[in-house]
Amino acid sequence: MRTGVWLVGARGSVATTSIVGGLALRAGLAGPTGCVTELPELRGPALPAFADLVFGGHDVATTPLCKRAEALATAGVLPGRLVAALPDELAAVEEELRPAPGVGSQAERAAAIVRDLTDFRDRHRLDRVVVVNVSATEPTATAHPAHADPATLRDALTGPDEVLPASSLYAYAALTAGCPYVDFTPSTGARLPALHTLAVERGLPYAGHDGKTGETLVKSVLAPMFAMRHLTVRSWSGINLLGGGDGANLADPAANAAKVESKQRVLGETLGYVPQGGTRIDYVEELGDFKTAWDLITFSGFLGTGMRMEFTWHGCDSALAAPLVLDLARLTAAAHAAGRVGPLTDLAFFFKDPLGSPTHSLGEQWTRLAEFTRALHTGRESADGQAG
Amino acid sequence: MRTGVWLVGARGSVATTSIVGGLALRAGLAGPTGCVTELPELRGPALPAFADLVFGGHDVATTPLCKRAEALATAGVLPGRLVAALPDELAAVEEELRPAPGVGSQAERAAAIVRDLTDFRDRHRLDRVVVVNVSATEPTATAHPAHADPATLRDALTGPDEVLPASSLYAYAALTAGCPYVDFTPSTGARLPALHTLAVERGLPYAGHDGKTGETLVKSVLAPMFAMRHLTVRSWSGINLLGGGDGANLADPAANAAKVESKQRVLGETLGYVPQGGTRIDYVEELGDFKTAWDLITFSGFLGTGMRMEFTWHGCDSALAAPLVLDLARLTAAAHAAGRVGPLTDLAFFFKDPLGSPTHSLGEQWTRLAEFTRALHTGRESADGQAG
Amino acid sequence: MRTGVWLVGARGSVATTSIVGGLALRAGLAGPTGCVTELPELRGPALPAFADLVFGGHDVATTPLCKRAEALATAGVLPGRLVAALPDELAAVEEELRPAPGVGSQAERAAAIVRDLTDFRDRHRLDRVVVVNVSATEPTATAHPAHADPATLRDALTGPDEVLPASSLYAYAALTAGCPYVDFTPSTGARLPALHTLAVERGLPYAGHDGKTGETLVKSVLAPMFAMRHLTVRSWSGINLLGGGDGANLADPAANAAKVESKQRVLGETLGYVPQGGTRIDYVEELGDFKTAWDLITFSGFLGTGMRMEFTWHGCDSALAAPLVLDLARLTAAAHAAGRVGPLTDLAFFFKDPLGSPTHSLGEQWTRLAEFTRALHTGRESADGQAG
Amino acid sequence: MRTGVWLVGARGSVATTSIVGGLALRAGLAGPTGCVTELPELRGPALPAFADLVFGGHDVATTPLCKRAEALATAGVLPGRLVAALPDELAAVEEELRPAPGVGSQAERAAAIVRDLTDFRDRHRLDRVVVVNVSATEPTATAHPAHADPATLRDALTGPDEVLPASSLYAYAALTAGCPYVDFTPSTGARLPALHTLAVERGLPYAGHDGKTGETLVKSVLAPMFAMRHLTVRSWSGINLLGGGDGANLADPAANAAKVESKQRVLGETLGYVPQGGTRIDYVEELGDFKTAWDLITFSGFLGTGMRMEFTWHGCDSALAAPLVLDLARLTAAAHAAGRVGPLTDLAFFFKDPLGSPTHSLGEQWTRLAEFTRALHTGRESADGQAG
Ligand SMILES: NC(=O)c1ccc[n+]([C@@H]2O[C@H](COP(=O)([O-])OP(=O)(O)OC[C@H]3O[C@@H](n4cnc5c(N)ncnc54)[C@H](O)[C@@H]3O)[C@@H](O)[C@H]2O)c1
Ligand SMILES: NC(=O)c1ccc[n+]([C@@H]2O[C@H](COP(=O)([O-])OP(=O)(O)OC[C@H]3O[C@@H](n4cnc5c(N)ncnc54)[C@H](O)[C@@H]3O)[C@@H](O)[C@H]2O)c1
Ligand SMILES: NC(=O)c1ccc[n+]([C@@H]2O[C@H](COP(=O)([O-])OP(=O)(O)OC[C@H]3O[C@@H](n4cnc5c(N)ncnc54)[C@H](O)[C@@H]3O)[C@@H](O)[C@H]2O)c1
Ligand SMILES: NC(=O)c1ccc[n+]([C@@H]2O[C@H](COP(=O)([O-])OP(=O)(O)OC[C@H]3O[C@@H](n4cnc5c(N)ncnc54)[C@H](O)[C@@H]3O)[C@@H](O)[C@H]2O)c1
Ligand code: NA
Ligand code: NA
């Protein structure tokens, strides 16, 4: 099952790490640490092999992919030896990268994206192309009446307005080109009624939002722990210090707000109440791609006794995100092949702000993911009958 | 369902906190924070009400219960106002405490314990008495041929040898008196072939070992997180600093060894491999009942990138343990009433070193506990058919 | 040497803790832990004895002092037994508290303050009264032409404008009444040319700003450590989580800004360059008077190797501040008695944002403080000849 | 002033980092971050220039220096580009390394060391050679009557006994060869009456013990902070997790004991009392040269209020130690040139367990170091008249 992985933001840290890692896996130069689809519980015939993945993508930046890869190696995100060992493979992917269409009406730009996608699919005789958004996080989008249904939207795009935020324009184009769409960022993406309807009309699945790689991952196991033990969380406060491209972008208060909001949701939905405290994101350039998050949790137990826990997480965001991007591409491709349509709520395991209103407990998300994947491998419908 | 809760080590911190808390719940002076049996998923008709619990116990110490309670209040473990509000209730429990039998052969001491238990049951017309060991942790016990079966054991106890460690002598006496037995400590307790057979012969359930209240609780959600994300844990090192009676006892290297061993098991069994590092327990008197545990976890992700996490847990051990003691008494009483026999492996949720070879993932343990409890409430057999 | 300690904000946490502590020291119910003037290096005849301190003060609030003291005892800031043991002494101080003058022109309000101060001094036949500002932190004040000299200021105060922020109006009144003035808060206080001139004219010393009790205290020893070792601090980021009255007030962005600025100064001035990162203050009501600060420091060493340090400080702000308030009152009284005039830059040890442009290294501040105090005890002028 | 730096343990991590760094400084490829002798307060004409340092040494191991350097680069301790840029320089140092004499009586081995040192000095026409011990930490040495004076010692060394531990045999040989001796390890080194007398007889200075690079460095500023604030430290507990050669060696309980003891001394001597708690050293291979230390400090303040602080230090031991080795070589050479004789107690700044009974406060140690160095630069005797 030859599968295209089209990355929006293809020259960014997450995309570059995903590409180098995918090529290294294909070449047998690296193992699948961090790829959950290679765990015994998820592995199986329905997923495209790493060797069957073909990479391409859009970006507004023009830095050569190998330069980005070298920079990531210098920063300790990637082993330099892998970049050195894959010059031809990286050059081949470079050939598949296209500038983000930037001129004309949104309809014209969407058409250009569609062309890039279909050309890519044809050129490589791919069974399908999964579009994954790993571009910079957008500010919270403003509502527009044309978001309601596909026909109105199609009309509005031909006008002069910026009707859709970039992430949704990519989603629109992807669905139009018959490609499933995954949003790894907190941006709007396919989360608009018009795009949902479009996906259903075209028989396409979509997934998102916001890859769960750090503090929120830890929250998604610690919050259920407090809940299962009937301990009352009094406050949960945290700070995320990060550099890198994503950090610089999140220093923008608007983008920051979108991210912080999706981070806090986990707590309220898991505990059934919102404890005091909040989450901060601060940009500290020198930290580069290695993020440090610190959280303080105060809680009370039997007879009101006050206690506390704190944790520090020093994670490399791109190294945590990249294998999940590959996992999502594989799972979404398999879901498409199996005829799944609409929001893939069983992929909540991967996201800070998952589609649907599912659990935020990582353990329960894992159970659902394992069942979903098993159904794909065995060709049966998933538990909650989402098959198309 | 009037239920006796007989605490071995009844004047210790955990026992005293359990008693004060149980009395406060009965009097409506405190809520059930920390009691998992009061969560919606577990609550139900099969469990004895808090108001139906009657406390008694053995101890080698003679400090009056109200003195211990006042000391715990001063130390911030209990609210002083509860101790002040329950003088008569505490005095009534004081009447039910008995000195730990200390003279004669082990057979004679066991007989004395049996008498204390049956007198207690008769005096209060109790449906049953659950014996819970919350006494000081013993050194690892030495094997003895008489541990193999009940008959040989019964004979050997009449001789001059210390055939059984204290925890097992209490278990033997409890089972002989027809009482289910729970070991909240890491001591041997009912974990001997002779005692297992005795429990089965008498149609009694038993549970253990070693209440999971601090660092190991956190481990039981973090280790599965790393496993589910296919991240390789390179090292996991920790230190536990604690004062209090338990801390002083654990400063003894032999008891320490038993505890440390049960703490490390979680990792190997969850991850499928044993990472580097180990766990230390150090006695720091000044910390009193508030324990501080610090853990450092180094792990590697995609393409080998090294990352790390650390956490500090500042917990009040007795406040964490006491509600679980009440939970275990209620659940074991209900299991006994429902005819469950032998090791209650579905109670793994509560223990660092659970009976059987179950999962160490708190999430999976929770699922099993919920199913087990639901079966008790609905009167059906539990999933794995453990009914008597 | 009978010395009045007049507290602006006398019903606040810091003031109440200072008062209870001062009374407890006088009654021999508590030791001087936290009082640096009781260390062997500083102790001596020039300082008024604790028994010679008489408390009074202003506040806009009206909560009875003993109620505030009880609330602080409940919160764990003060031992309840001290509050219970000092009912008469607290009632006596209650008699000395006055409402903050709130009506009329600023000149009229200043006159009312002056009257309260002189009445207090006369009533108790005090040798002198030291005014210490421990009221809520003000927003950064706006400049006004009348801040330039005493005469212009005196005129302007009679008009309808709020020429001075409250802290400076108290300073103005204190100096007018012949009282030395100490600012324990980051507010403007005596830091205006007109007030400096007034102090010099009246032969009065003054001190400030912003008691150094938590994160900044730690910074003032860690930053010199990095400097002395020629290690390059790359980033220093921190977050302060605090509840209590002060926390609520600092949640106001304007007050927060004043505080954060004075916190960051230490680093730049100690290291000679400003590392990346910043400091946050967040209000978390549930933490009460116990503040948690977390700081991450990344630094590089020989040949550029990157390293990091982090610390968590769980301090009780009022318990840390109160003994320093007593120290400052004693030292400023002694300085006044010895004829010291103008800014007491040798008291930098106590402040986050000390007057003058002295060192921020706690060790060097200590050396200067010890010399200054020795000079007071021996009656000699201090090293830099500040005697009047 | 051409100065030899003879490293005992020349192929170890600290030595290799010192050599690569020294060569890089000479070649202008790196700056002096971490070298305190390059701070404005210490810089000056009395110190040999980096360009005047010539390296040699002994080791029992035979791994080529460039292999060790490459391994350290892979481990992130050194920048690989420096190793790559200095092949000839490293090869030249390789020529100056000698196997540690291992056969014959201790007298014969000492004579061999003396020969290696004098040959080195002659071959390079060096003004002097400073011997610095950076070899593996020894177990605590056993006393021997011959340790009392040089003559008895000289005799005893000709016999079959291992009269001196290796570190002291090197010190004996160094002094015999007219070379000042520095012990960067906690081993015995020159700390024997016989060797002290020998040093005085030969007019030679010596320095030690145990380079202060991590947790103890932090302790030496935090402990004085608590003392200066009159806060009572209740407990101070810590754990050091480290890999690397030094870690493996310290896993040996005997060596561990020597190290732990020198670590605890700082607290007792700074605070005037020994708080509860202790320090652990655990070997975790995977951490390599990057050590993680965690310390918990509980303290009480005014009126007994309990508070706490914790810190985590993630340092690269060799990168912290190497510049200090260069500093010590420069300072000791200058001291020798200036005629200083006997223990250089003014170098306490560099050591966990300094010679003499000086202060453990880093600030005071800094003041003494600065005065000492200034005296060397200006040619005057140091404050406490140690000139020869
Ligand atoms: N790394 C993680 O752990 C993680 C987790 C969750 C979400 N995310 C999200 O993934 C995204 C990528 O993160 P990153 O660290 O790679 O950031 P990055 O800044 O390194 O890369 C973003 C890339 O997107 C490109 N881009 C920006 N606007 C574009 C547009 N309109 N069209 C096409 N390309 C565009 C940029 O030129 C850049 O190359 C961010 O939105 C981040 O919030 C990352
Ligand atoms: N507190 C927790 O979070 C926790 C968690 C897991 C296990 N535990 C275990 O629970 C037990 C109790 O802890 P604690 O903090 O209450 O300790 P504790 O020292 O306060 O109490 C132990 C009590 O047992 C009594 N005792 C000792 N030997 C006895 C004997 N032979 N017969 C009867 N009584 C005896 C002692 O006199 C004492 O009163 C310990 O074994 C501990 O390891 C506690
Ligand atoms: N606690 C510390 O460690 C610390 C350290 C440095 C500085 N400070 C400063 O000390 C001050 C007091 O802190 P706190 O925790 O006691 O706060 P708090 O809120 O408990 O007390 C402040 C008191 O000031 C009173 N007040 C407000 N405006 C006033 C006015 N115009 N005149 C007279 N009284 C007035 C309030 O009514 C209140 O009683 C704050 O400015 C704080 O920033 C405290
Ligand atoms: N790195 C630090 O921060 C630091 C701080 C204080 C003290 N120290 C001490 O410095 C020493 C070196 O540390 P390291 O990390 O380089 O250790 P390492 O194990 O990497 O190096 C020690 C070297 O000494 C050699 N050696 C052992 N016995 C010898 C002998 N008898 N003669 C000659 N050479 C011998 C070994 O072969 C090895 O090459 C240790 O004693 C350590 O405790 C290091
Ligand atoms: Na911490
Ligand atoms: Na930490």
Side-chain angles (χ1 to χ4, degrees), chain C residues 6-8 13-15 18 34 131-137 167 181-191 206-214 246 259 262 316-329 347 349-353 355, chain D residues 229:
Chain C
W6 189 268
L7 300 164
V8 182
S13 298
V14 172
S18 304
V131 175
V132 186
N133 182 21
V134 286
S135 70
T137 298
S167 63
Y181 175 86
V182 178
D183 213 318
F184 199 78
T185 82
S187 305
T188 309
R191 267 184 300 189
Y206 61 92
H209 279 256
D210 205 4
K212 180 159 68 182
T213 49
D246 193 26
K259 197 94 178 184
S262 97
C316 176
D317 265 9
S318 300
L320 289 161
L324 304 182
V325 166
L326 301 182
D327 286 330
L328 284 163
L347 302 187
F349 179 81
F350 294 97
F351 297 113
K352 284 201 208 47
D353 187 16
L355 290 168
Chain D
R229 277 298 169 96

Side-chain angles (χ1 to χ4, degrees), chain D residues 171-208:
Chain D
Y172 171 78
L175 299 171
T176 303
C179 302
Y181 175 86
V182 177
D183 213 317
F184 200 78
T185 82
S187 305
T188 310
R191 266 184 301 188
L192 294 174
L195 298 179
H196 171 76
T197 308
L198 184 61
V200 173
E201 282 173 11
R202 303 284 161 110
L204 290 168
Y206 62 91

